[in-house]
Short mmCIF file of all heavy atoms in Angstrom, two decimals:
data_model
loop_
_atom_site.label_atom_id
_atom_site.label_comp_id
_atom_site.label_asym_id
_atom_site.label_seq_id
_atom_site.Cartn_x
_atom_site.Cartn_y
_atom_site.Cartn_z
N ASP A 1 16.62 -13.82 -3.19
CA ASP A 1 17.12 -12.61 -3.84
C ASP A 1 16.39 -11.39 -3.33
O ASP A 1 15.19 -11.42 -3.04
CB ASP A 1 16.92 -12.68 -5.36
CG ASP A 1 17.91 -13.59 -6.06
OD1 ASP A 1 18.81 -14.13 -5.38
OD2 ASP A 1 17.77 -13.77 -7.29
N ARG A 2 17.12 -10.30 -3.25
CA ARG A 2 16.52 -9.00 -2.90
C ARG A 2 16.04 -8.36 -4.20
O ARG A 2 16.76 -8.33 -5.19
CB ARG A 2 17.56 -8.13 -2.23
CG ARG A 2 17.05 -6.77 -1.88
CD ARG A 2 18.01 -6.03 -0.95
NE ARG A 2 17.52 -4.71 -0.68
CZ ARG A 2 16.42 -4.45 0.01
NH1 ARG A 2 15.72 -5.44 0.52
NH2 ARG A 2 16.01 -3.22 0.22
N VAL A 3 14.80 -7.85 -4.19
CA VAL A 3 14.25 -7.19 -5.37
C VAL A 3 13.81 -5.78 -5.02
O VAL A 3 13.47 -5.49 -3.88
CB VAL A 3 13.05 -7.98 -5.97
CG1 VAL A 3 13.49 -9.33 -6.50
CG2 VAL A 3 11.93 -8.15 -4.96
N GLU A 4 13.87 -4.91 -6.00
CA GLU A 4 13.42 -3.54 -5.86
C GLU A 4 12.07 -3.39 -6.56
O GLU A 4 11.81 -4.09 -7.54
CB GLU A 4 14.42 -2.57 -6.52
CG GLU A 4 15.80 -2.61 -5.91
CD GLU A 4 15.85 -2.05 -4.50
OE1 GLU A 4 15.11 -1.09 -4.20
OE2 GLU A 4 16.63 -2.57 -3.69
N GLU A 5 11.25 -2.51 -6.07
CA GLU A 5 9.97 -2.25 -6.72
C GLU A 5 10.23 -1.86 -8.17
O GLU A 5 11.11 -1.04 -8.46
CB GLU A 5 9.23 -1.11 -6.00
CG GLU A 5 7.86 -0.84 -6.56
CD GLU A 5 7.10 0.21 -5.78
OE1 GLU A 5 7.50 0.52 -4.64
OE2 GLU A 5 6.12 0.72 -6.32
N GLY A 6 9.50 -2.49 -9.10
CA GLY A 6 9.68 -2.22 -10.52
C GLY A 6 10.65 -3.16 -11.21
O GLY A 6 10.75 -3.15 -12.44
N GLN A 7 11.38 -3.96 -10.45
CA GLN A 7 12.33 -4.91 -11.02
C GLN A 7 11.57 -6.06 -11.68
O GLN A 7 10.58 -6.56 -11.15
CB GLN A 7 13.25 -5.45 -9.93
CG GLN A 7 14.26 -6.47 -10.41
CD GLN A 7 15.15 -6.96 -9.27
OE1 GLN A 7 15.33 -6.28 -8.26
NE2 GLN A 7 15.70 -8.14 -9.43
N THR A 8 12.04 -6.53 -12.84
CA THR A 8 11.39 -7.63 -13.54
C THR A 8 11.57 -8.93 -12.77
O THR A 8 12.68 -9.28 -12.37
CB THR A 8 11.95 -7.79 -14.96
OG1 THR A 8 11.75 -6.56 -15.67
CG2 THR A 8 11.29 -8.93 -15.71
N LEU A 9 10.45 -9.65 -12.56
CA LEU A 9 10.46 -10.94 -11.86
C LEU A 9 10.37 -12.11 -12.82
O LEU A 9 10.95 -13.17 -12.57
CB LEU A 9 9.30 -11.01 -10.88
CG LEU A 9 9.26 -9.96 -9.78
CD1 LEU A 9 7.97 -10.08 -8.98
CD2 LEU A 9 10.47 -10.10 -8.88
N CYS A 10 9.60 -11.94 -13.90
CA CYS A 10 9.38 -13.03 -14.84
C CYS A 10 8.76 -12.46 -16.10
O CYS A 10 8.50 -11.27 -16.19
CB CYS A 10 8.45 -14.09 -14.24
SG CYS A 10 6.75 -13.50 -13.99
N ILE A 11 8.51 -13.36 -17.05
CA ILE A 11 7.79 -13.00 -18.26
C ILE A 11 6.54 -13.86 -18.32
O ILE A 11 6.58 -15.06 -18.03
CB ILE A 11 8.65 -13.22 -19.52
CG1 ILE A 11 9.80 -12.21 -19.55
CG2 ILE A 11 7.80 -13.13 -20.79
CD1 ILE A 11 10.73 -12.38 -20.72
N LEU A 12 5.43 -13.24 -18.71
CA LEU A 12 4.19 -13.96 -18.95
C LEU A 12 3.89 -13.82 -20.43
O LEU A 12 3.78 -12.71 -20.95
CB LEU A 12 3.05 -13.39 -18.11
CG LEU A 12 3.25 -13.51 -16.61
CD1 LEU A 12 2.17 -12.73 -15.87
CD2 LEU A 12 3.24 -14.96 -16.18
N GLU A 13 3.79 -14.97 -21.11
CA GLU A 13 3.51 -14.95 -22.54
C GLU A 13 2.04 -15.25 -22.78
O GLU A 13 1.49 -16.20 -22.22
CB GLU A 13 4.35 -16.00 -23.27
CG GLU A 13 4.02 -16.07 -24.75
CD GLU A 13 4.65 -17.26 -25.45
OE1 GLU A 13 5.23 -18.12 -24.79
OE2 GLU A 13 4.52 -17.31 -26.67
N ALA A 14 1.42 -14.45 -23.62
CA ALA A 14 0.04 -14.69 -24.02
C ALA A 14 -0.11 -14.30 -25.48
O ALA A 14 0.22 -13.17 -25.85
CB ALA A 14 -0.91 -13.88 -23.15
N MET A 15 -0.55 -15.23 -26.27
CA MET A 15 -0.77 -14.98 -27.69
C MET A 15 0.45 -14.37 -28.36
O MET A 15 0.36 -13.38 -29.07
CB MET A 15 -2.01 -14.11 -27.87
CG MET A 15 -3.28 -14.80 -27.40
SD MET A 15 -4.76 -13.82 -27.61
CE MET A 15 -4.83 -13.73 -29.39
N LYS A 16 1.61 -14.93 -28.09
CA LYS A 16 2.88 -14.51 -28.68
C LYS A 16 3.36 -13.13 -28.22
O LYS A 16 4.30 -12.59 -28.76
CB LYS A 16 2.81 -14.54 -30.21
CG LYS A 16 2.35 -15.83 -30.80
CD LYS A 16 3.45 -16.83 -30.88
CE LYS A 16 2.99 -18.05 -31.65
NZ LYS A 16 3.13 -19.27 -30.97
N LEU A 17 2.71 -12.57 -27.20
CA LEU A 17 3.17 -11.32 -26.61
C LEU A 17 3.89 -11.63 -25.31
O LEU A 17 3.37 -12.35 -24.47
CB LEU A 17 2.00 -10.38 -26.32
CG LEU A 17 1.26 -9.83 -27.53
CD1 LEU A 17 0.05 -9.02 -27.08
CD2 LEU A 17 2.18 -8.96 -28.38
N MET A 18 5.09 -11.09 -25.16
CA MET A 18 5.88 -11.29 -23.96
C MET A 18 5.68 -10.10 -23.03
O MET A 18 5.95 -8.96 -23.40
CB MET A 18 7.36 -11.44 -24.29
CG MET A 18 7.65 -12.57 -25.24
SD MET A 18 7.19 -14.14 -24.53
CE MET A 18 7.73 -15.24 -25.80
N ASN A 19 5.19 -10.37 -21.82
CA ASN A 19 4.85 -9.32 -20.87
C ASN A 19 5.71 -9.46 -19.62
O ASN A 19 5.67 -10.50 -18.96
CB ASN A 19 3.37 -9.44 -20.48
CG ASN A 19 2.47 -9.41 -21.69
OD1 ASN A 19 2.23 -8.36 -22.23
ND2 ASN A 19 2.01 -10.56 -22.14
N GLU A 20 6.48 -8.43 -19.30
CA GLU A 20 7.29 -8.46 -18.09
C GLU A 20 6.41 -8.21 -16.88
O GLU A 20 5.58 -7.29 -16.89
CB GLU A 20 8.38 -7.40 -18.15
CG GLU A 20 9.45 -7.69 -19.17
CD GLU A 20 10.55 -6.66 -19.16
OE1 GLU A 20 10.39 -5.57 -18.56
OE2 GLU A 20 11.60 -6.94 -19.75
N LEU A 21 6.57 -9.01 -15.84
CA LEU A 21 5.88 -8.79 -14.58
C LEU A 21 6.89 -8.21 -13.62
O LEU A 21 7.97 -8.78 -13.40
CB LEU A 21 5.30 -10.10 -14.02
CG LEU A 21 4.55 -9.96 -12.71
CD1 LEU A 21 3.27 -9.15 -12.90
CD2 LEU A 21 4.22 -11.33 -12.15
N GLU A 22 6.56 -7.06 -13.04
CA GLU A 22 7.49 -6.34 -12.17
C GLU A 22 7.12 -6.49 -10.71
O GLU A 22 5.95 -6.68 -10.36
CB GLU A 22 7.50 -4.86 -12.55
CG GLU A 22 7.98 -4.62 -13.97
CD GLU A 22 7.90 -3.17 -14.37
OE1 GLU A 22 7.28 -2.36 -13.64
OE2 GLU A 22 8.46 -2.84 -15.43
N ALA A 23 8.13 -6.38 -9.85
CA ALA A 23 7.92 -6.43 -8.41
C ALA A 23 7.09 -5.24 -7.97
O ALA A 23 7.31 -4.12 -8.42
CB ALA A 23 9.26 -6.43 -7.67
N GLU A 24 6.13 -5.51 -7.12
CA GLU A 24 5.24 -4.46 -6.61
C GLU A 24 5.79 -3.82 -5.34
O GLU A 24 5.33 -2.75 -4.95
CB GLU A 24 3.86 -5.05 -6.34
CG GLU A 24 3.24 -5.66 -7.58
CD GLU A 24 2.08 -6.60 -7.28
OE1 GLU A 24 1.81 -6.88 -6.09
OE2 GLU A 24 1.46 -7.06 -8.25
N VAL A 25 6.74 -4.49 -4.70
CA VAL A 25 7.34 -4.00 -3.46
C VAL A 25 8.84 -4.27 -3.46
O VAL A 25 9.32 -5.11 -4.21
CB VAL A 25 6.72 -4.69 -2.22
CG1 VAL A 25 5.25 -4.37 -2.07
CG2 VAL A 25 6.93 -6.19 -2.26
N THR A 26 9.55 -3.56 -2.60
CA THR A 26 10.97 -3.83 -2.39
C THR A 26 11.08 -4.81 -1.22
O THR A 26 10.42 -4.64 -0.20
CB THR A 26 11.72 -2.53 -2.06
OG1 THR A 26 11.61 -1.65 -3.18
CG2 THR A 26 13.18 -2.79 -1.75
N GLY A 27 11.87 -5.85 -1.40
CA GLY A 27 12.02 -6.84 -0.34
C GLY A 27 12.78 -8.06 -0.82
O GLY A 27 13.55 -8.00 -1.77
#
């Protein structure tokens, strides 16, 4: 898949908090 910088890649859950991890580069 092609992703843009800032696009959500996944979610990381810690202590019931859902954290979106974003693409750092376009590619």
Side-chain angles (χ1 to χ4, degrees):
D1 284 356
R2 178 168 178 67
V3 294
E4 298 292 325
E5 184 176 344
Q7 179 180 336
T8 301
L9 299 174
C10 67
I11 291 178
L12 297 172
E13 176 190 8
M15 296 181 66
K16 307 278 188 235
L17 293 175
M18 302 298 183
N19 304 282
E20 291 183 346
L21 180 67
E22 298 176 349
E24 301 163 354
V25 296
T26 298

